[in-house]
């Protein structure tokens, strides 16, 4: 299995790159910065190679055409692809804006996503495709969806950084918004981490996801543990609210102008929105039409895609027509990505639907 | 004093209304994803009990049901929201169109030096050159950047070159908006003049009705009517004319009442000749499954086609999609399709029921089909069992007698040809067990789907124009002064300014280097 070795390399490289980027912010040494970039580029290169190798393995296994064998058929592969797009987007931005500070925010996302895979014991096996998934439209749909998700992920991080940088006091709506969002975000991640630790056995992702998620915390059999989990979340949110300014200090050290952040947020949305519309909504509809004869069936996954789309349409209109700028619009960008995450994971994990994709 | 019309108009053209509608659609849709749509009563009671507790669940259910949330995407208020949304979009676009039209049609004009200084992109340089050379150079530079330059000489002797391109791209937003209206219209056509249904059709059976998927499963009040209507169809042997007569209705009324109970009559019969599944290797994971369907109209077969997932059959605007499959409860209709090859002889195909027997050619043996198992496996003790509810491993047990002594019993398994051969070198192959599987078909008629696709193309096009093409203007003022020529460049564009800035930089470089 050549591919898994290179996935391993890329995971290591991204983790080291994360450390280097963060150190770079702290010490601002050119050497460290160059090291960080080299590590990220190396990680990206080996990830690219790994994806290509897996593609080839899948091609030999499935006995179908080259395009049909693109490794984008389950949760594992889609997370890998998401990270790949994210890193590609980030590296392009680093070269374009000549600023490395941002890497300290993106590489952790990449590293956490890959760690999440390793910790979860999620099935990494190459599985053949069920008939409904054997469609070129689906391929275009999935690929473009993830490209747009990566663009939205970028807008999320810049939007969040913008909020962290520009909010002034604890009573301010935007401050409360970002601390609460981040607090819940981190709590949910931690809770999922606990689930993974607890059920770190060889399980099919489907079983795992649906029946074990939040079982060690919010949905534990013991009411006591449930209450404690909610309290812990509340506490974490409180901590974020109380000490959020520490993050602000950190980010102020980045030498980023808030207007640049605002612009990157907008640009990412402006790139993500058309791709999402075409790939996520239109191609998805065409595929569903061919496979089931229903281009739109209001199943939860579709509906959540629509909600996500509406939020980003709202973003564009609020910005252009109402002249929203700054904190208000940054909050919309952050909410948009929360909807993306829900569409991507939440629907599979929490709601059921006809999309077998991703929950398998 | 504003007229009523003006008030209505400004209400519908307001972006505030758009925001409210966006929010309402999004929020109600969220509720619709939590409550399973068109689900049986128990399903949603379970969901609600988890969310609000068993005590409250029944009343919450009643409330939500009264508001139409159990089938909300088809409820009147959700439709109203969509219509309002479309109206808003339409009025908004019409309202702003004249202004945009003007921008698109207005030619660029020369601007004053002061105005040039206020433009978002600007540059200034002096060149030790003569006026004509610089002008020529500038015109060619503009041309290679895609601008057809116009020229005007001012009273002070300064020459201004000016041009614009892609003015039409301002229409991108309107194409986008119109496309959404087109999509909604197409969807409405589908709802009004089409249907979505399904049918589970066993091999060897035909149907001229399908069942609507838009039926609300939580409503069981229509059952008696259903029984009487379907009873009539059955006793008329599927002939709607006769069935209508039986219940004393006209054909049109009869069909209408069928539709009202979720039974959709077709103008033809569909027959399932055969259904097949192909697996990945020895696994039970299906690689492909397909059905051979034949359309029969006025007693004559008109089309036959193998359909599979992603490859439907279309007849008279009705599409048949391969959606699922399964094993019938009643296995007694099944027939084993056997390929019998005696020693040194030709293969011969036979279709036999369980219980039938046949003489093995060239011998004096008799082969009896004793038993059928749709998913044969053997347990720890070696006893046969059925391991799945699908026909994943069909096998028949044959009993061969005639050689004196007790009959020999043997399992012949379709997916394992090595089980087909007999000790004497002959073989009995099981190639199919026909008549016990059904094919699950989604059936759709949607005259609006092409309108929707047209809308999708427009949407993609509109977004492309709106986001990736921008209306660019440029002015170059060339003024002779003491040292040579003073050149002012100014430019604007509403989108992708940085890319345009770089283009202008290139252009300026070209002007500098071109002497
Ligand atoms: C979900 C549906 C909608 C989509 C996808 C959509 C899409 C767009 C896009 C892509 C733009 C260009 C924004 C930019 O330049 O970045 C735009 C602008 C605009 N939209 Fe929408 N829109 C939608 C709904 C609406 C509605 C309901 C209204 C009515 C109130 C509206 C009014 C406008 C207006 C007035 C503009 C500015 C046009 C101009 O530049 O003059 N949009 N829309």
């Amino acid at each position: 299995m050549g591919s898994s070795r290179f996935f391993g390399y890329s995971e290591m490289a991204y983790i080291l790159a994360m450390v280097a980027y963060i150190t770079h912010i702290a010490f601002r040494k050119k050497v460290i910065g160059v090291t960080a970039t080299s590590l990220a580029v190396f990680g990206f290169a080996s990830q690219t190679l790994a994806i290509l190798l897996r593609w080839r393995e899948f091609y030999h296994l499935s006995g179908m055409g080259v395009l049909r064998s693109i490794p984008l058929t389950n949760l594992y592969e889609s997370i890998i692809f998401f990270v790949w797009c994210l890193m590609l987007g980030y590296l392009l931005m680093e070269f374009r804006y000549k600023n490395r500070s941002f890497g300290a925010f993106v590489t952790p996302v990449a590293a956490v996503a890959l760690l999440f895979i390793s910790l979860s014991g999620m099935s990494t096996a190459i599985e053949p495709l069920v008939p409904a998934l054997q469609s070129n439209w689906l391929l275009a749909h999935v690929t473009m969806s993830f490209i747009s998700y990566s663009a939205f992920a970028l807008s999320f991080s810049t939007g969040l950084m913008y909020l962290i940088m520009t909010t002034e006091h604890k009573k301010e709506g935007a401050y409360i918004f970002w601390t609460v969002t981040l607090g819940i975000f981190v709590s949910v991640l931690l809770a999922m981490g606990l689930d993974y630790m607890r059920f770190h056995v060889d399980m099919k992702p489907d079983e795992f996801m649906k029946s074990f998620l939040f079982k060690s915390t919010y949905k534990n059999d013991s009411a006591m543990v449930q209450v404690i989990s909610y309290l812990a979340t509340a506490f974490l949110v409180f901590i974020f609210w109380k000490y959020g300014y520490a993050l602000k200090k950190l980010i102020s050290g980045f030498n980023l102008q808030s207007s640049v952040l605002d612009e990157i947020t907008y640009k990412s949305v402006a790139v993500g929105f058309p791709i999402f519309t075409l790939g996520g909504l239109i191609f998805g509809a065409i595929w569903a039409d061919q496979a089931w004869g229903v281009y739109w069936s209001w199943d939860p996954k579709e509906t959540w895609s629509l909600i996500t789309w509406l939020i980003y349409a709202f973003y564009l209109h609020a910005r252009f027509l109402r002249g929203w700028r700054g904190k208000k619009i940054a909050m919309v960008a952050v909410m948009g990505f929360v909807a993306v995450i829900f569409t991507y994971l939440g629907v599979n994990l929490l709601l059921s639907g006809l999309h077998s994709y991703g929950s398998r | 004093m504003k007229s009523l019309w003006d008030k209505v108009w400004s209400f519908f053209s307001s972006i505030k209304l758009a925001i409210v509608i966006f929010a309402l659609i999004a929020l109600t849709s969220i509720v619709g994803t939590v409550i399973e749509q068109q689900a049986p009563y128990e399903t949603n009671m379970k969901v609600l009990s988890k969310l609000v507790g068993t005590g409250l669940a029944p009343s919450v259910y009643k409330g939500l049901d009264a508001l139409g949330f159990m089938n909300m995407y088809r409820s009147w208020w959700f439709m109203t929201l969509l219509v309002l949304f479309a109206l808003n979009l339409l009025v908004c676009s019409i309202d702003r169109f004249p202004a945009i039209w003007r921008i698109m049609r207005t030619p660029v004009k020369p601007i004053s030096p002061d105005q040039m200084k206020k433009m978002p992109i600007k540059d200034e340089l002096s060149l030790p050159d003569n006026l004509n050379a610089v002008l020529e150079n500038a015109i060619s530079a503009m041309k290679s950047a895609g601008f057809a330059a116009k020229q005007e000489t001012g009273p002070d002797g300064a020459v201004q070159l000016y041009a614009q391109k892609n003015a039409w791209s301002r229409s991108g937003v309107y194409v986008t908006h119109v496309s959404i209206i087109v999509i909604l219209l197409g969807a409405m056509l589908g709802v009004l003049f089409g249907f979505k249904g399904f049918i589970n059709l066993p091999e060897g059976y035909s149907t001229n009705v399908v069942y609507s998927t838009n039926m609300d499963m939580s409503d069981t009040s229509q059952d008696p009517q259903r029984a009487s209507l379907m009873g009539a169809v059955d006793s008329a042997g599927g002939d709607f004319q006769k069935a209508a007569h039986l219940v004393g209705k006209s054909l049109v009324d009869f069909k209408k009442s069928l539709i009202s109970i979720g039974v959709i009559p077709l103008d033809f019969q569909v027959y399932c000749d055969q259904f097949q599944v192909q697996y990945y290797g020895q696994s039970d994971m299906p690689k492909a499954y397909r059905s051979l369907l034949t359309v029969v109209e006025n007693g004559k077969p008109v089309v036959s086609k193998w359909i599979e997932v992603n490859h439907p059959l279309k007849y008279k605007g009705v599409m048949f999609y391969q959606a699922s499959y399964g094993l019938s409860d009643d296995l007694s209709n099944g027939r084993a399709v056997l390929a019998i090859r005696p020693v040194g002889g030709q293969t011969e195909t036979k279709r036999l029921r369980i219980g039938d027997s046949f003489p093995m050619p060239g011998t004096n043996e008799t082969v009896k089909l004793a038993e059928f198992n749709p998913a044969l496996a053997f347990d720890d003790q070696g006893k046969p069992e059925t391991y799945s509810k699908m026909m994943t491993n069909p096998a028949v047990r044959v009993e061969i007698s005639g050689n004196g002594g007790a009959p020999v019993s043997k399992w012949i398994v379709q997916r394992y040809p090595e089980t087909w051969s007999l000790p004497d070198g002959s073989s009995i192959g099981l190639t199919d067990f026909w008549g016990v599987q059904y094919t699950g078909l989604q059936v759709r008629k949607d005259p609006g789907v092409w309108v929707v696709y047209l809308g999708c193309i427009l949407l993609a096009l509109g977004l492309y124009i709106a986001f990736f093409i921008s209306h660019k203007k440029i002015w170059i003022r060339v003024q002779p002064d003491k040292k040579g020529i003073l050149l002012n460049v100014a430019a604007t564009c509403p989108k992708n300014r940085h890319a345009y800035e770089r283009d202008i930089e290139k252009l300026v470089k070209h002007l500098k280097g071109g002497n």
Side-chain angles (χ1 to χ4, degrees):
Chain A
M1 293 281 276
S3 65
S4 50
R5 202 166 81 220
F6 287 101
F7 280 131
Y9 291 160
S10 66
E11 188 178 335
M12 283 306 291
Y14 288 153
I15 293 172
L16 291 175
M18 170 179 85
V19 175
Y21 276 116
I22 294 174
T23 324
H24 176 64
I25 295 180
F27 297 105
R28 303 237 154 257
K29 283 265 172 10
K30 180 130 203 254
V31 198
I32 302 175
V34 172
T35 313
T37 306
S38 319
L39 281 166
V41 169
F42 173 76
F44 181 74
S46 45
Q47 199 185 9
T48 311
L49 190 63
I51 291 176
L52 289 175
L53 284 173
R54 190 171 169 104
W55 194 338
R56 207 182 63 179
E57 287 158 24
F58 193 16
Y59 172 66
H60 288 306
L61 180 97
S62 72
M64 282 181 280
V66 176
L67 272 182
R68 289 283 170 81
S69 320
I70 199 166
L72 260 180
T73 57
N74 54 28
L75 194 60
Y76 167 71
E77 290 169 345
S78 65
I79 292 178
I80 295 277
F81 184 64
F82 168 75
V83 170
W84 187 82
C85 292
L86 186 69
M87 288 307 294
L88 177 66
Y90 166 69
L91 286 173
L92 288 178
M93 217 172 64
E94 181 180 316
F95 291 120
R96 165 94 174 69
Y97 289 92
K98 310 253 180 299
N99 190 325
R100 289 201 174 92
S101 314
F102 197 53
F105 264 67
V106 173
T107 42
V109 175
V112 164
L114 294 181
L115 272 179
F116 178 88
I117 292 173
S118 313
L119 282 180
S120 72
M122 178 186 295
S123 162
T124 59
I126 299 181
E127 283 165 34
L129 290 179
V130 300
L133 300 183
Q134 299 164 9
S135 155
N136 291 340
W137 288 110
L138 175 68
L139 181 73
H141 166 59
V142 176
T143 318
M144 289 178 71
S145 295
F146 280 104
I147 293 173
S148 63
Y149 288 175
S150 312
F152 292 148
L154 279 182
S155 72
F156 169 75
S157 15
T158 44
L160 199 60
M161 278 164 75
Y162 183 93
L163 289 174
I164 296 175
M165 259 176 83
T166 53
T167 43
E168 296 295 337
H169 36 256
K170 292 198 173 76
K171 297 254 163 59
E172 194 179 341
Y175 181 85
I176 295 173
F177 175 83
W178 80 255
T179 48
V180 170
T181 309
L182 203 61
I184 293 177
F185 208 73
V186 172
S187 311
V188 169
L189 271 184
L190 284 178
M192 280 157 96
L194 277 180
D195 290 328
Y196 286 130
M197 299 295 187
R198 214 175 131 195
F199 299 100
H200 184 43
V201 259
D202 198 4
M203 254 176 266
K204 283 200 166 162
D206 186 35
E207 284 169 335
F208 169 69
M209 293 303 173
K210 291 232 167 74
S211 44
F212 297 108
L213 194 77
F214 299 131
K215 269 283 149 61
S216 8
T217 49
Y218 308 111
K219 287 162 107 181
N220 195 280
D221 295 332
S222 137
M224 186 73 175
V225 176
Q226 286 188 21
V227 172
I228 291 177
S229 310
Y230 284 109
L231 283 179
T233 305
F235 181 69
L236 209 65
V237 169
F238 175 75
I239 292 286
F240 268 91
W241 176 74
K242 181 99 186 164
Y243 299 105
Y245 59 83
L247 269 176
K248 180 174 168 159
K249 271 202 193 122
L250 181 77
I251 291 181
S252 312
F254 284 16
N255 275 340
L256 281 171
Q257 276 175 328
S258 59
S259 62
V260 171
L261 287 176
D262 189 56
E263 187 191 313
I264 300 179
T265 310
Y266 166 67
K267 285 232 162 111
S268 317
V269 173
V271 167
F273 188 75
I275 299 179
F276 182 62
T277 310
L278 185 67
L281 295 178
I282 298 183
F283 287 173
I286 296 178
W287 167 59
D289 189 33
Q290 301 220 321
W292 292 298
V294 193
Y295 55 82
W296 191 263
S297 56
W298 291 106
D299 89 282
K301 192 120 185 160
E302 283 170 350
T303 309
W304 271 96
S305 305
L306 181 72
I307 294 168
T308 306
W309 188 68
L310 286 175
I311 296 178
Y312 283 111
F314 176 80
Y315 175 95
L316 294 171
H317 287 84
R319 193 180 166 96
F320 274 88
L321 299 175
R322 311 293 295 173
W324 284 19
R325 281 292 176 319
K327 293 175 209 168
K328 260 185 179 169
I329 202 76
M331 285 199 275
V332 180
V334 168
M335 281 194 305
F337 192 66
V338 171
V340 168
I341 295 181
F342 200 84
T343 311
Y344 177 29
L345 291 175
V347 173
N348 289 337
L349 300 180
L350 302 176
L351 304 170
S352 58
L354 89 225
H355 278 246
S356 62
Y357 170 74
S359 68
R360 282 192 312 119
Chain B
M1 203 34 214
K2 271 187 170 179
S3 74
L4 183 64
W5 172 252
D6 284 340
K7 276 186 195 154
V8 171
W9 186 265
S10 65
F11 173 73
F12 275 112
S13 66
S14 96
I15 187 86
K16 273 195 197 129
L17 178 68
I19 289 171
V20 171
I21 295 177
F22 270 40
L24 281 176
I25 292 180
L27 291 175
T28 51
S29 294
I30 292 176
V31 179
T33 63
V34 174
I35 293 170
E36 209 173 304
Q37 297 295 300
Q38 304 177 323
Y41 177 75
E42 300 77 30
T43 313
N44 278 322
M45 276 303 284
K46 232 189 256 166
V47 174
L48 287 177
S49 309
K50 270 192 203 148
L51 289 176
V52 299
T54 31
L56 271 178
S59 36
V60 173
Y61 186 99
K62 245 191 220 152
L64 287 172
D65 192 24
L67 291 171
F69 273 102
M70 297 303 154
N71 192 3
M72 68 159 263
Y73 301 112
R74 271 173 270 278
S75 68
W76 64 268
W77 53 263
F78 197 74
M79 292 292 160
T80 310
L81 272 181
L82 291 182
V83 170
L84 279 179
F85 175 65
L87 274 179
N88 182 210
L89 202 51
L90 189 68
V91 174
C92 217
S93 301
I94 295 176
D95 198 53
R96 310 220 172 192
F97 198 71
I100 291 294
W101 183 249
R102 232 174 294 128
I103 294 181
M104 287 189 342
R105 305 297 309 207
T106 316
V108 262
K109 293 206 182 72
I111 53 177
S112 70
D114 282 347
Q115 278 172 309
M116 279 180 102
K117 289 212 175 73
K118 282 192 202 116
M119 287 295 165
I121 305 172
K122 52 192 175 278
D123 207 345
E124 189 178 281
L125 61 158
S126 20
L127 297 170
D129 215 338
N130 75 39
L131 183 65
N132 282 340
V134 171
L135 276 179
E136 215 167 276
N137 209 344
I139 291 172
S140 86
M142 284 168 81
K143 194 167 176 191
S144 58
F147 291 102
K150 284 186 198 143
Q151 186 172 342
E152 193 182 86
T153 310
D156 53 355
V159 180
Q160 201 169 111
L161 301 172
Y162 54 95
Q164 66 174 353
K165 68 174 179 185
N166 299 342
W168 58 273
S169 72
R170 301 261 177 182
S171 66
V173 171
Y174 296 91
V175 177
T176 309
H177 289 163
V178 166
S179 73
I180 290 166
I181 296 170
V182 172
I183 290 173
L184 288 173
L185 273 179
M188 203 159 83
L189 281 180
V191 170
L192 291 180
F193 303 110
F195 63 79
K196 294 191 184 83
F198 71 95
I199 183 89
N200 288 340
L201 197 57
E203 280 173 316
Y205 281 79
S206 73
T207 183
N208 63 348
V209 296
V210 296
Y211 302 101
S212 169
T213 27
N214 294 350
M215 280 304 285
D216 194 347
M217 300 293 284
S218 58
D219 182 9
T220 51
S221 62
Q222 289 174 325
D223 282 353
Q225 196 196 357
R226 189 188 181 99
S228 100
L229 289 172
M230 289 310 283
V233 174
D234 280 344
S235 33
D239 185 332
F240 297 130
Q241 187 84 54
K242 272 188 207 155
H245 192 72
L246 280 178
V247 294
K249 286 188 178 186
S250 72
L251 180 61
V252 176
D253 281 348
F254 185 72
K255 283 190 173 175
K256 266 191 198 147
S257 35
L258 277 181
I259 290 170
S260 76
I261 57 160
V263 178
I264 299 155
L266 302 177
D267 297 335
F268 48 83
Q269 295 263 344
V270 187
Y271 180 82
C272 173
D273 296 284
Q274 208 176 341
F275 174 77
Q276 290 178 346
V277 189
Q278 197 194 345
Y279 298 94
Y280 281 105
Q282 302 294 359
S283 78
D284 287 344
M285 183 165 178
K287 182 174 185 175
Y289 43 98
R290 53 186 204 151
S291 324
L292 179 58
L293 299 185
T294 301
V295 174
V296 180
E297 198 168 16
N298 302 322
K300 281 192 285 292
V302 272
V303 206
S304 271
K305 184 182 173 185
W306 279 104
I307 65 162
E308 54 185 297
V309 182
N310 292 322
H311 300 281
L313 160 75
K314 181 172 185 180
Y315 186 71
K316 288 205 164 164
V318 183
M319 307 281 282
F320 294 85
Y321 295 85
Q322 181 73 65
S324 61
Y325 60 93
L327 187 64
S328 307
D329 293 332
D330 177 14
L331 301 183
S332 62
N333 272 327
R335 287 169 180 74
V337 182
L338 300 178
I340 300 153
R341 188 171 50 81
V343 185
Q346 288 282 315
T347 305
E348 176 194 353
T349 304
K350 267 194 161 59
R351 294 162 73 90
L352 297 168
R353 286 169 182 274
I354 295 302
D356 289 352
S357 23
F358 63 94
M360 190 69 190
T363 66
N364 45 17
E365 293 164 349
T366 303
V367 181
K368 179 175 181 220
L369 267 59
E371 196 183 337
F372 166 65
N373 190 327
L376 178 70
F378 294 97
D379 68 9
D380 301 342
Q381 274 92 47
K383 269 203 290 194
E385 58 178 8
T386 305
Y387 72 92
S388 125
K389 288 201 171 65
M390 306 291 251
M391 194 165 92
T392 41
N393 194 23
V396 291
R397 190 168 60 80
V398 294
E399 284 169 2
I400 306 169
S401 55
N403 281 333
V408 180
S409 168
K410 177 176 171 48
W411 280 103
I412 296 176
V413 188
Q414 182 179 343
R415 292 179 64 189
Y416 294 87
E418 55 274 25
T419 62
W420 297 1
S421 34
L422 301 179
D424 63 358
S426 62
S427 83
I428 302 175
L430 177 65
T431 52
D432 190 13
F433 198 86
W434 184 90
V436 294
Q437 292 193 92
Y438 63 80
T439 178
L441 303 174
Q442 291 265 3
V443 187
R444 180 200 77 183
K445 181 175 173 183
D446 190 344
V449 74
W450 292 108
V451 180
V452 172
Y453 279 166
L454 175 74
C456 287
I457 294 173
L458 285 177
L459 178 57
L461 207 68
L463 285 176
Y464 179 75
I465 299 171
F467 283 101
F468 298 109
I469 297 184
S470 72
H471 179 188
K472 293 171 178 162
K473 293 183 188 168
I474 183 170
W475 296 267
I476 300 181
R477 190 164 179 276
V478 187
Q479 186 174 30
D481 67 0
K482 285 155 268 166
K483 279 174 272 167
I485 306 286
L486 181 67
L487 220 120
N488 277 297
V489 180
T492 65
C493 80
K495 291 173 287 217
N496 304 333
R497 212 178 78 202
H498 292 281
Y500 191 38
E501 250 164 29
R502 278 198 301 276
D503 289 349
I504 299 291
E505 272 165 31
K506 234 186 263 164
L507 190 141
V508 169
K509 219 180 245 165
H510 182 104
L511 288 177
K512 277 187 192 157
N515 50 1

